[in-house]
């Protein structure tokens, strides 16, 4: 698996913007950047000695206060609540108040330390220069605040979507498994009346199903070979129960690929279960189920074909489509639009063709 440095940098940049653990570093980086931006302005050079640095820090402190008021008061309370006009008015008022406070501070504390040969107009221009440099900073911080909200909202939505999907998958899986077990118990009940010896064999095989359900089916993924063995056991059970029934499971893919491929558990069970139910021959003739599994170009191809009696219909019409509807929905949740399911119903055969990425 290749690791993308660009992906790492993108993820780190987004985490740096929103994660609480980077909060102190974010603020330090901003404060340093803002200081050097103010340092490049001219207004603080109009004062003599150490007082020029006092002027610089005085203006820096006022503008930083305005920026943080915007970030933590104006944006959350007005902009995020779609009160855009109120936000803009308050932002302008804050700017005017800040500019006047800076001018008042200059006259009150620093007037006597101003270089005498500097014109008032030049000094005022330098002050405006420093304030105007603050405007894009304020707008940038507003944009960053919006970006942080967007990233956090998307994380929350994705987490909620993932949780909802997981719950829905579990619910669908819980519907599929009892449905399958219900049919198997019906088979056992029928065999107890007609052939108790076969019924005992079925019960032993059924215990193997329960072991699979408890220890392998509970995982998000299971080996393809385990799923094939599960289907083989199921079809063997059906062969014990029914005369003139045959099945074949053929895998064209390389054995090493099959042994290392993982799929969601019980992905094919419903298709095979339906194939078994629909393969019943009304006249007691031969019936079959044929399964083909292949893997090519990171795509898994599953094909299930069963014989069909023209006049046969499943007795449980209410629940006969439940498993198929659930597995289709499960495929949609697992693979979105990357799977392809084709079902063909003919007079003598019923076939299912499924393609999924692996």
């Amino acid at each position: 698996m290749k690791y993308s440095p660009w992906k790492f940098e993108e993820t780190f940049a987004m985490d740096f913007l929103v994660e609480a653990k980077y909060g102190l570093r974010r603020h330090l980086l901003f404060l340093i950047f803002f200081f050097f931006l103010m340092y490049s302005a001219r207004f603080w050079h109009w004062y003599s000695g150490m007082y020029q640095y006092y002027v610089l820090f005085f203006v820096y402190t006022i503008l930083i206060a305005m920026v943080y008021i915007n970030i933590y008061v104006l944006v959350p309370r007005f902009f995020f609540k779609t009160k855009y006009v109120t936000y803009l008015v308050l932002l302008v008022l804050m700017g005017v108040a800040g500019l006047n406070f800076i001018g008042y501070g200059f006259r009150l504390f620093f007037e006597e330390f101003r270089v005498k040969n500097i014109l008032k107009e030049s000094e005022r221009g330098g002050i405006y220069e420093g304030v105007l440099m603050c405007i894009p900073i304020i707008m940038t911080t507003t944009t960053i605040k919006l970006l942080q909200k967007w990233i956090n909202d998307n994380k929350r939505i994705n987490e909620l979507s993932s949780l909802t999907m997981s719950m829905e998958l579990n619910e669908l899986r819980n519907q599929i498994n009892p449905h399958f077990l219900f049919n198997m118990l019906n088979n056992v009940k029928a065999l107890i009346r007609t052939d108790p010896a076969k019924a005992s064999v079925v019960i032993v095989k059924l215990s193997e199903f329960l072991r699979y359900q408890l220890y392998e089916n509970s995982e998000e993924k299971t080996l393809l070979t385990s799923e094939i063995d599960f289907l083989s056991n199921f079809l063997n059970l059906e062969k014990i129960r029914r005369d003139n029934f045959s099945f074949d499971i053929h895998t064209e893919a390389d054995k090493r690929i099959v042994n290392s491929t993982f799929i969601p558990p019980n992905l094919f069970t419903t298709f095979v279960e339906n194939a078994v139910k629909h393969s019943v021959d009304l006249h007691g003739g031969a019936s079959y189920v044929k399964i083909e599994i292949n893997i090519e170009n990171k795509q898994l191809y599953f094909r299930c074909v069963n014989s069909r009696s023209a006049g046969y219909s499943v007795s449980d019409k209410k629940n006969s489509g439940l498993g198929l509807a659930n597995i289709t929905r499960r495929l949609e949740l697992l693979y979105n639009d990357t799977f392809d399911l084709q079902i063909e119903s003919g007079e003598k055969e019923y076939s299912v063709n499924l393609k999924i990425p692996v």
Side-chain angles (χ1 to χ4, degrees), residues 38 43 47 55 58-63 66 95-110 127 130-131:
M38 297 301 298
F43 67 90
Y47 296 85
V55 169
F58 174 74
V59 176
Y60 175 78
T61 302
I62 299 302
L63 295 183
M66 292 170 59
V96 172
L99 182 60
N100 280 279
F101 188 82
I102 291 172
Y104 177 77
F106 279 0
R107 290 191 299 272
L108 184 62
F109 302 111
F110 306 111
I127 296 171
V131 174

Side-chain angles (χ1 to χ4, degrees), residues 235-262:
L235 293 170
N236 271 311
L237 284 171
E238 188 65 19
K239 190 173 183 179
I240 293 172
R241 190 180 72 88
R242 279 166 51 185
D243 296 327
N244 299 324
F245 175 76
S246 62
F247 72 90
D248 177 59
I249 300 179
H250 180 64
T251 305
E252 296 181 359
D254 187 281
K255 192 173 182 180
R256 291 175 299 177
I257 297 177
V258 174
N259 291 336
S260 60
T261 298
F262 287 83

Side-chain angles (χ1 to χ4, degrees), residues 247-285:
F247 72 90
D248 177 59
I249 300 179
H250 180 64
T251 305
E252 296 181 359
D254 187 281
K255 192 173 182 180
R256 291 175 299 177
I257 297 177
V258 174
N259 291 336
S260 60
T261 298
F262 287 83
I263 62 170
N266 272 337
L267 195 61
F268 308 134
T269 303
T270 303
F271 298 128
V272 177
E273 183 188 12
N274 284 338
V276 168
K277 287 189 296 184
H278 288 86
S279 67
V280 174
D281 191 277
L282 292 175
H283 308 290

